Amino acid sequence: MDRPAAPTPTGPRGVRLVGWVLAAGTAVAVLAGTVRLGGRLDLAGAVPLAIWLSLLLLVRCRWPLAVLLLSVQAVIVFRSAGLTDAGWVWPASAAYATLAADDRPGRPGLAWAAGVGLAELAFAATWESTSGGATRREVLGSLGTEALWLGVLLAAAAAYRNRLRWRAELDERLLRAAREGELEAGRRIAEARLEIARELHDVVGHTLTVVGIQLRVASEALDDAPKDARAALTIAQQVRSEAVRDLRALVHVLRAPGEAAADPAAGLPQVEPLVDRMRSAELDIRLETSGDLAAVPAPVSLAVHRIIQEALTNTVRHAGASRADVSVRCGRGRVEVDVTDDGRAPAAATGGSGNGIRGMDERVRALGGDFSAGPRGKDGEGAGWLVRAAIPVPRYRV
């Protein structure tokens, strides 16, 4: 990819102003330098040369190499014709500097300026030693000063060009950093929104399902078993309170993103109460655990709890199952969870619009684990459903 051109410190109006200033300065410098060096100042020599060199500088930005070549040619013509005795290199100093400082891609301005300068000095040495009648000492004395001036001029122009390049690269890096910052901020916002969406889906869906189950139990037992009805209503109230706590934690994150959010009322230690709440006369749920559930890190503990919660919610709402088995195994640097039932596939897995399975998969993938959900066997629709997840916890050992 081509390197971007260096930024111009001024706009088009400023560039034109600089051109006029250089043109005027060159005209004055050529005339004043001719007088200062004891040369002739007449209308047939130094004056038209100064005007020509000045006018060429007005188009230096568009054709810097052509401006330098025409300037050098003018100096050579005027000097070899005896119309002026001004110097060879310094009258075209602005043209040399403009080309040497040219920073556009594919334009080796410094090399061209150095080559043209050496060619001009070589011609000057040849002309002065032959047609000019100067001795070798005089040629070395006069042209040595010109060569030194050319070297200083090109070095200053190269330093200015490098400064422009440095500024261009710095601006490019700052722009890239700003874009990367915007992309990173957008990515974090998207991840936060996705996490909040998953939490809302799991909390609200589970709460409505469990409350619905307990209200049905309370309605059926209200006349014959008031104690059972009261217990079901108590469980519904407990689930509602936990859901309110989780929703408040989400709202806190939205209102104060820089502050730490309250711990959600969910985790592996709460799996057994979760299973008890979702167990009903229509659905028998069995739980098996191994390992120290309380020692599992909070992110993994919350993720496993939500997976079990969502899997059982789908079983209750969509599967029409009579039995479900939940297995949680903690050890060997990982946490494994299986949730199976004997019902049919949930709607989300057969082309429905639900987000439960996708949300479980996103939770597990975010923690570097593996997730799968699908039919448990090959016996058809009633073969059951299996949700399986394995999340690594490198520092966790049992």
Side-chain angles (χ1 to χ4, degrees):
M1 181 176 65
D2 291 338
R3 176 179 51 81
T8 55
T10 57
R13 185 176 180 181
V15 171
R16 289 194 296 269
L17 178 61
V18 171
W20 283 105
V21 170
L22 286 177
T26 297
V28 173
V30 171
L31 297 178
T34 301
V35 174
R36 181 69 179 81
L37 296 175
R40 303 189 313 275
L41 185 63
D42 51 51
L43 296 178
V47 174
L49 177 62
I51 295 175
W52 175 248
L53 295 178
S54 301
L55 293 178
L56 286 175
L57 291 176
L58 297 180
V59 294
R60 77 195 192 288
C61 292
R62 180 171 296 183
W63 301 295
L65 178 58
V67 168
L68 176 60
L69 293 176
L70 291 175
S71 299
V72 170
Q73 183 183 26
V75 172
I76 291 176
V77 169
F78 274 75
R79 282 298 303 267
S80 59
L83 299 176
T84 180
D85 46 10
W88 293 91
V89 172
W90 67 263
S93 296
Y96 275 109
T98 297
L99 181 60
D102 188 8
D103 195 42
R104 287 175 289 183
R107 304 290 292 272
L110 181 61
W112 274 103
V116 173
L118 292 177
E120 184 181 14
L121 289 175
F123 176 85
T126 303
W127 187 86
E128 288 195 359
S129 61
T130 56
S131 301
T135 64
R136 180 174 300 179
R137 182 183 297 272
E138 292 173 342
V139 171
L140 291 177
S142 62
L143 295 185
T145 303
E146 297 267 5
L148 179 61
W149 172 250
L150 178 63
V152 172
L153 186 67
L154 296 183
Y160 177 74
R161 181 199 60 185
N162 293 335
R163 180 175 178 272
L164 291 182
R165 288 181 175 178
W166 173 79
R167 286 184 55 188
E169 293 175 358
L170 178 61
D171 292 343
E172 185 180 2
R173 288 197 299 267
L174 292 176
L175 181 60
R176 188 185 305 115
R179 290 176 177 172
E180 291 176 354
E182 293 177 356
L183 292 176
E184 178 66 17
R187 185 185 63 82
R188 292 181 179 180
I189 292 174
E191 290 180 352
R193 292 177 61 183
L194 186 60
E195 178 65 23
I196 293 172
R198 286 197 298 262
E199 288 293 319
L200 285 175
H201 175 273
D202 293 349
V203 170
V204 174
H206 169 73
T207 302
L208 293 179
T209 300
V210 174
V211 169
I213 293 173
Q214 300 304 325
L215 288 179
R216 187 173 67 251
V217 171
S219 176
E220 294 174 352
L222 184 61
D223 296 330
D224 300 331
K227 291 184 178 180
D228 293 341
R230 189 178 296 110
L233 293 176
T234 300
I235 294 176
Q237 180 66 21
Q238 180 183 356
V239 173
R240 185 205 67 85
S241 300
E242 293 179 358
V244 169
R245 177 182 173 183
D246 288 343
L247 291 176
R248 284 178 177 173
L250 292 176
V251 172
H252 180 82
V253 171
L254 292 175
R255 294 178 63 89
E259 301 179 9
D263 294 333
L268 280 176
Q270 287 76 39
V271 168
E272 186 172 355
L274 167 67
V275 171
D276 292 339
R277 290 196 300 265
M278 302 198 70
R279 188 180 289 116
S280 65
E282 292 82 9
L283 179 63
D284 179 28
I285 305 177
R286 298 183 183 182
L287 173 65
E288 291 184 6
T289 62
S290 63
D292 188 1
L293 303 185
V296 177
V300 178
S301 180
L302 175 61
V304 174
H305 183 280
R306 294 299 190 207
I307 290 170
I308 297 173
Q309 173 181 291
E310 180 60 24
L312 292 178
T313 300
N314 287 339
T315 298
V316 172
R317 297 176 62 184
H318 306 297
S322 61
R323 176 176 171 175
D325 294 288
V326 179
S327 173
V328 181
R329 301 175 298 279
C330 304
R332 295 178 298 177
R334 57 195 289 129
V335 178
E336 298 177 348
V337 56
D338 291 344
V339 181
T340 61
D341 61 54
D342 58 358
R344 59 181 179 271
T350 57
S353 60
N355 294 309
I357 294 178
R358 182 172 62 183
M360 289 187 286
D361 181 69
E362 291 171 348
R363 285 183 184 276
V364 176
R365 302 295 179 189
L367 295 172
D370 298 319
F371 175 84
S372 63
R376 187 173 57 175
K378 300 181 179 180
D379 298 335
E381 185 176 333
W385 190 258
L386 169 63
V387 173
R388 173 169 292 171
I391 303 176
V393 187
R395 298 182 180 179
Y396 181 78
R397 295 289 185 272
V398 176

